Amino acid sequence: DLLNIKVAIDGPAGAGKSTVAKELAKKLNFTYIDTGAMYRALTYKAIIENINVENRNKIVELASKIDIELKNDKVLLDGIDVTNEIRTPSISEKVSYISMIPEVREIMVKLQKRLSDKGSVVMDGRDIATVVMPDAQFKFFLTASPEVRAMRRYNELTSKKIPVKYDDILNDIRKRDKNDTERDVAPLKKADDSIVIDTTNMSIDEVVSKMYNIIANG
Ligand code: CDP
Ligand code: CDP
């Protein structure tokens, strides 16, 4: 179906998924859907409402009535722009505990599936090719070494004047990799039919071109 092309991008933190997905979506004139932003928005809401991320019942209750909208690169939580607030290290540190909860994933996946049926999309996350869009025509799995991923995130945060230490970022990335790949429900893993791109030594443009060529020729 030429009117409903789905591109799935999965991989660990800092592999370049969201940057590349955004560029690729622009080039293809597809809608970009950032699923990590949804888990982050829920985490943010839990924090401002003083709910402990380990209080599963409360988190599920919160998830069941959350209003998340992705609008032109902006993330709206209950109508309020939280695009920048959800990227801070304190959210990154807690989000993988929330995304482990099966009922939370069920709610998010339902929302994501609904979004994926509205025309052509590029969607990035951890379980997109395996769970959310198993029928995607194009599936990619981006990776890079943990050290390079941590350095990218370090550079990104320091350029935004957010004070961070490289070692803390590397530790967070290692812990999240572990939580995301070892959880019981929809763990981060490559789908059998995903194309792996190791971006360790690649620029953003190189990754985007590689993916674009695969899609344009496919
Ligand atoms: O940008 P970064 O890779 O650091 O994280 P993200 O894509 O914004 O995702 C944040 C967290 O949300 C991940 O570490 C996962 O725990 C969770 N997540 C998930 O479980 N499933 C998804 N489809 C997307 C994100
Ligand atoms: O979404 P994910 O966590 O996979 O990664 P990202 O947020 O898109 O990328 C993390 C940082 O790495 C961003 O600042 C990108 O500009 C940078 N990056 C890079 O330097 N080289 C790449 N090949 C990909 C991303």
Side-chain angles (χ1 to χ4, degrees), residues 9-22 32 34 40 87 124-126 142-144 148-157 159-160 173 176 198-208:
I9 305 177
D10 294 299
K17 298 181 301 297
S18 49
T19 309
V20 162
K22 223 175 277 171
Y32 167 55
D34 178 353
R40 286 176 178 274
R87 307 270 164 220
D124 83 319
R126 301 291 187 286
L142 302 190
T143 62
V148 163
R149 291 188 279 122
M151 187 49 79
R152 289 175 182 170
R153 196 42 54 83
Y154 174 82
N155 289 336
E156 181 188 330
L157 292 166
S159 78
K160 286 187 201 154
I173 282 200
R176 257 190 317 136
D198 185 336
T199 73
T200 305
N201 297 304
M202 290 173 84
S203 69
I204 294 163
D205 282 352
E206 286 172 330
V207 181
V208 173

Side-chain angles (χ1 to χ4, degrees), residues 40-50 62 66 77-78:
R40 286 176 178 274
L42 176 60
T43 308
Y44 177 77
K45 182 152 184 171
I47 292 172
I48 55 174
E49 297 208 354
N50 263 317
L62 202 62
I66 200 164
L77 171 64
D78 302 324

